[in-house]
C-alpha cells in the first residue's frame, strides 16, 4: 500500500465527546485516545452514528450534527477514505493506464515498482493489464479500483463497509493489504471475519438507560468482544442473586415480608433443542466455508466459470452472516 510518512505518536485525543443529530444523542460523554498504529473496528446498527463518529474524531465538520467536547489531533496526519464507489474508471483506457495514470512506475511502500509487476499482485497478467476496462468483469473492475486506491499515500486509513459486493479474490487482496498497513485504521464493517483478521480493538455502539448512544471499547476483534460481553453478562447475573438476597434481608428487618426470588428461567423444549443443535450447524457452515475458500483461493475459478465462482463468493458472505447470527444466538441461549 502507498503508505505516507508516519504520523505523530498521538493520532487523536478525545474528551467528553457528545454528538447529537435531529434531537437524538448518537454519542454521549465519549473519551478515548488513538495512538499511531491502532487498528479499530466500529460495530453498531445502521444509523447508530458510526460514520458520524469517525468524522468527529478526525475533526471533520458536519453542520447537521451538534458536537461538544474536545478533539485534539496529532501531527502529520494523511487520511485516505477507502470507498470503491468513489473512484471512477476510464472504461476506454487499459487497466494499467487507470491505475498508474499513464506512468510506467508506481510507488509502493516507498519503492518504485513497475506497473505490470504491481498489477500481477492483483491477479492481472501483463496481457490482461493492457485490456480496456470496458472488457472486464465486475470482479475484475473492483480489483482495478482496489489497486488504484491502495496507491494513495496515507498513514490513517478509513474503511466504511469496504467489503460490500467484493468477490472472494478481491476480498482476500483487500484483507491482505489492510492487515499489512503500518498506519492507523478506522474500520466500519459487518464482515466479522474481515474485522477479526484486521483490528486490534473494537468499539461497540449501544444505549444507556435514557436511550442515549454510548460507545464501549473492547480489546481485540469481534470474537474477543463477544467473549468479554458474555463474561460481563455472566458476572452481572452472578451478582444479581446476592443483591436480591441482601435486599430481601434488609426488607425483613424492617418488618415487611420479603418477596421470594424468582427461580432461574429454564429453557423451553424448542430453545433447548436449538441450543443443542447449534454446534453442529456452526461446524457444518465452517466446513462449507473452508471448501468454498479453497476453491476460490487462486482466482482461477472466475476464469473458468465466472457465474459459479461469483455465486460461491456471494454464498461465503451469507455463510459469514449465518455463522455470526448462530454464535450470537448461542451466547443468548447460554446466558
Amino acid at each position: 500500500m502507498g503508505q505516507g510518512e508516519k504520523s505523530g505518536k498521538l493520532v487523536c485525543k478525545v474528551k467528553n465527546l457528545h454528538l447529537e443529530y435531529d434531537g437524538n444523542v448518537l454519542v454521549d460523554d465519549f473519551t478515548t485516545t488513538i495512538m499511531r498504529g491502532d487498528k479499530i473496528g466500529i460495530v453498531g446498527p445502521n444509523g447508530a452514528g458510526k460514520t458520524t463518529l469517525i468524522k468527529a474524531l478526525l475533526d471533520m465538520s458536519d453542520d447537521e450534527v451538534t458536537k461538544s467536547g474536545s478533539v485534539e489531533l496529532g501531527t502529520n496526519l494523511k487520511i485516505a477514505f477507502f470507498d470503491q464507489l468513489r473512484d471512477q474508471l476510464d472504461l476506454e483506457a487499459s487497466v494499467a493506464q487507470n491505475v498508474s495514470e499513464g506512468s510506467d512506475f508506481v510507488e509502493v511502500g516507498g519503492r518504485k515498482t513497475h506497473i505490470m509487476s504491481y498489477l500481477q499482485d492483483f491477479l492481472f497478467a501483463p496481457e490482461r493489464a493492457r485490456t480496456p476496462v470496458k472488457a472486464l468483469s465486475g470482479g475484475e473492475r473492483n480489483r482495478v479500483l482496489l489497486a488504484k486506491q491502495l496507491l494513495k499515500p496515507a498513514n490513517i486509513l478509513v474503511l466504511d463497509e469496504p467489503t460490500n459486493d467484493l468477490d472472494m479474490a478481491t476480498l482476500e487482496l483487500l484483507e491482505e493489504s489492510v492487515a499489512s498497513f503500518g498506519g492507523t485504521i478506522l474500520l466500519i464493517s459487518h464482515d466479522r471475519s474481515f474485522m477479526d483478521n484486521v483490528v486490534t480493538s473494537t468499539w461497540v455502539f449501544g444505549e444507556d438507560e435514557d436511550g442515549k448512544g454510548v460507545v464501549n471499547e473492547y480489546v481485540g476483534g469481534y470474537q474477543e468482544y463477544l467473549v468479554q460481553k458474555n463474561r460481563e453478562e455472566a458476572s452481572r447475573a452472578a451478582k444479581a442473586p446476592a443483591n436480591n438476597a441482601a435486599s430481601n434481608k434488609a426488607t425483613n428487618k424492617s418488618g415487611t415480608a420479603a418477596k421470594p426470588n424468582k427461580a432461574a428461567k429454564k429453557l423451553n423444549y424448542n430453545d433447548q433443542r436449538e441450543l443443542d443443535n447449534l454446534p453442529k450447524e456452526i461446524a457444518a457452515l465452517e466446513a462449507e466455508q473452508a471448501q468454498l475458500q479453497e476453491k476460490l483461493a487462486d482466482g482461477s475459478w472466475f476464469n473458468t466459470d465466472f457465474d459459479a465462482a461469483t455465486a460461491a463468493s456471494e454464498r461465503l458472505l451469507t455463510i459469514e452472516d449465518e455463522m455470526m447470527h448462530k454464535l450470537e444466538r448461542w451466547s443468548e441461549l447460554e446466558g
Side-chain angles (χ1 to χ4, degrees), residues 124-324:
F124 289 107
E127 61 273 14
R128 198 61 174 166
R130 299 186 184 96
T131 302
V133 168
K134 65 182 180 182
L136 301 183
S137 67
E140 286 177 315
R141 291 187 188 189
N142 277 334
R143 275 189 270 135
V144 177
L145 285 170
L146 177 61
K148 185 176 181 180
Q149 288 202 319
L150 290 178
L151 286 175
K152 295 177 179 177
N155 49 41
I156 297 178
L157 186 59
V158 178
L159 303 104
D160 194 341
E161 296 295 352
T163 63
N164 287 356
D165 304 320
L166 297 184
D167 60 46
M168 193 60 194
T170 311
L171 181 59
E172 289 181 350
L173 287 168
L174 173 63
E175 183 177 305
E176 181 181 334
S177 299
V178 172
S180 63
F181 180 63
T184 304
I185 291 176
L186 299 173
L187 166 65
I188 298 172
S189 180
H190 286 94
D191 187 333
R192 306 314 187 202
S193 176
F194 181 84
M195 183 173 287
D196 280 336
N197 291 333
V198 170
V199 306
T200 55
S201 62
T202 303
W203 295 356
V204 182
F205 270 75
E207 290 185 349
D208 62 15
E209 295 176 353
D210 299 322
K212 296 179 180 179
V214 294
V215 180
N216 295 306
E217 300 183 57
Y218 295 86
V219 175
Y222 190 77
Q223 294 295 335
E224 286 90 346
Y225 148 65
L226 286 179
V227 170
Q228 293 170 75
K229 177 186 174 186
N230 291 341
R231 286 175 181 165
E232 290 173 0
E233 291 177 348
S235 177
R236 283 195 293 268
K239 291 177 181 177
N243 291 338
N244 288 338
S247 176
N248 290 338
K249 185 176 181 180
T251 305
N252 284 331
K253 283 184 177 179
S254 68
T256 306
K259 294 181 180 179
N261 291 335
K262 289 184 179 179
K265 184 179 178 182
K266 292 184 178 180
L267 294 177
N268 61 35
Y269 174 79
N270 289 333
D271 285 346
Q272 185 61 55
R273 188 174 181 182
E274 181 185 1
L275 178 60
D276 293 340
N277 287 332
L278 279 172
K280 291 179 287 185
E281 293 172 1
I282 292 171
L285 286 171
E286 288 175 336
E288 183 184 0
Q289 182 185 52
Q291 184 182 31
L292 291 176
Q293 286 175 337
E294 184 178 356
K295 292 182 70 175
L296 289 163
D298 62 2
S300 61
W301 195 9
F302 287 95
N303 296 325
T304 58
D305 191 341
F306 179 78
D307 290 340
T310 299
S313 183
E314 291 171 352
R315 172 59 184 154
L316 275 174
L317 297 178
T318 305
I319 288 173
E320 188 65 39
D321 288 340
E322 290 180 9
M323 285 177 61
M324 291 313 306

Side-chain angles (χ1 to χ4, degrees), residues 70-90:
S70 65
V71 176
E72 176 189 344
L73 292 179
T75 58
N76 195 33
L77 304 185
K78 295 182 179 179
I79 304 166
F81 283 83
F82 185 93
D83 181 350
Q84 65 260 35
L85 300 179
R86 289 187 180 181
D87 274 327
Q88 297 296 318
L89 297 176
D90 183 347

